[in-house]
Amino acid sequence: METTEKKTEEEERKESEKEKEKEKAEKEEELSASEIEYVSYGGEHHLPLIMGLVDSELSEPYSIFTYRYFVYLWPQLSFLAFHRGKCVGTVVCKMGEHRNTFRGYIAMLVVIKPYRGRGIATELVTRSIRVMMESGCEEVTLEAEVTNKGALALYGRLGFVRAKRLFRYYLNGVDAFRLKLLFPSPVLQSSLSMLTDSDSGHWHNDHIPIEECSEVH
Ligand SMILES: CC(C)(COP(=O)(O)OP(=O)(O)OC[C@H]1O[C@@H](n2cnc3c(N)ncnc32)[C@H](O)[C@@H]1OP(=O)(O)O)[C@@H](O)C(=O)NCCC(=O)NCCS
């Protein structure tokens, strides 16, 4: 009988210790979420960081020329998220005339797995879209795999609508949705107003990129 009681006390002590450790880990997680720093593309030293993230998370292969095409021509539209010096997310975009409209285009968006679900992608995309709006874009587009639930939910929340389905758009044979956001978007306006002031394809190999955004399976 005594042994059983002792065991129970020991078990309770262990459980309480576990609980404390869990609380500590949760607090650390909260803290780290608030420590995310967002910066716009700042030069060649950012390129390997962007490439590393995109290469590991998106299914389409890009050459260094593709990355340079975007970041050299529209550095103000690419953003990186850092946590304690580590790059944990990035967005790469462009803008220009397209069939008589001035249009923004989101080419790549990635947040590494341990940092997902904390609003980092939303913040990155919102920053790019804000610069697009300020630059006179009338709309923003992108493509996402029809199976990419996370990206479709994220863009849906920001007010993007499905404009087209593109048959076997990606090299892996998956269809894409072309998503479109028309300005002014009331949903986005409220996201934008929550932000503080900003800090500031389908193509392969060496060709000039057109548009794309697909996830690794
Ligand atoms: C898609 C991706 C960029 C989302 O990054 P994230 O930082 O986790 O996104 P956020 O935290 O800003 O998510 C905002 C909202 O999008 C939706 N969302 C994001 N990921 C989701 C998922 N896996 N499933 C369902 N909804 C999701 C949710 O509504 C979420 O809001 P909530 O957390 O309040 O519910 C990230 O999962 C990723 O890098 N995936 C691999 C690359 C990729 O698919 N890129 C997009 C190509 S088009």
Side-chain angles (χ1 to χ4, degrees):
M1 191 67 183
E2 252 189 48
T3 326
T4 318
E5 272 174 23
K6 261 193 181 173
K7 264 188 187 171
T8 311
E9 273 174 30
E10 181 67 8
E11 276 169 11
E12 275 176 10
R13 193 183 57 80
K14 277 186 184 165
E15 264 174 32
S16 138
E17 265 176 14
K18 265 191 193 168
E19 203 59 42
K20 276 184 194 157
E21 270 172 17
K22 202 177 150 199
E23 274 173 29
K24 198 178 154 207
E26 279 171 2
K27 274 190 187 155
E28 276 173 5
E29 264 187 36
E30 277 171 35
L31 178 75
S32 51
S34 68
E35 282 173 1
I36 305 295
E37 188 196 352
Y38 297 89
V39 297
S40 64
Y41 179 77
E44 193 79 6
H45 63 290
H46 278 161
L47 204 51
L49 304 176
I50 296 176
M51 288 170 63
L53 255 61
V54 174
D55 287 348
S56 64
E57 294 293 343
L58 294 181
S59 65
E60 297 280 296
Y62 302 110
S63 78
I64 190 161
F65 302 104
T66 300
Y67 290 101
R68 286 201 172 123
Y69 166 76
F70 284 103
V71 298
Y72 282 11
L73 289 174
W74 300 277
Q76 75 279 28
L77 295 182
S78 291
F79 289 89
L80 297 91
F82 288 90
H83 180 238
R84 294 178 186 164
K86 179 183 177 183
C87 185
V88 299
T90 189
V91 65
V92 175
C93 305
K94 67 173 183 172
M95 60 188 174
E97 286 290 336
H98 179 83
R99 293 188 189 156
N100 298 325
T101 55
F102 194 59
R103 184 171 97 161
Y105 179 74
I106 300 170
M108 306 166 197
L109 171 68
V110 169
V111 171
I112 59 171
K113 285 197 180 83
Y115 288 84
R116 289 182 189 167
R118 296 160 192 247
I120 296 175
T122 303
E123 179 84 16
L124 287 165
V125 164
T126 306
R127 281 174 187 247
S128 296
I129 293 175
R130 176 153 72 172
V131 179
M132 289 173 189
M133 280 176 81
E134 288 167 355
S135 309
C137 288
E138 296 148 74
E139 61 182 41
V140 184
T141 64
L142 67 115
E143 286 83 33
E145 290 184 4
V146 295
T147 50
N148 192 343
K149 289 196 180 120
L152 295 173
L154 183 154
Y155 286 114
R157 268 176 51 137
L158 288 173
F160 282 77
V161 294
R162 294 173 189 185
K164 233 183 225 179
R165 185 171 179 130
L166 306 159
F167 181 66
R168 294 176 70 83
Y169 183 73
Y170 294 108
L171 278 182
N172 59 15
V174 175
D175 292 358
F177 282 125
R178 173 157 300 137
L179 305 180
K180 194 177 268 194
L181 177 74
L182 295 172
F183 297 140
S185 157
V187 183
L188 191 77
Q189 292 293 351
S190 73
S191 281
L192 287 172
S193 66
M194 289 193 303
L195 279 177
T196 53
D197 281 343
S198 69
D199 296 331
S200 38
H202 202 159
W203 68 94
H204 310 291
N205 304 324
D206 304 342
H207 297 146
I208 295 297
I210 308 164
E211 17 215 46
E212 113 88 1
C213 199
S214 65
E215 190 187 11
V216 165
H217 290 293

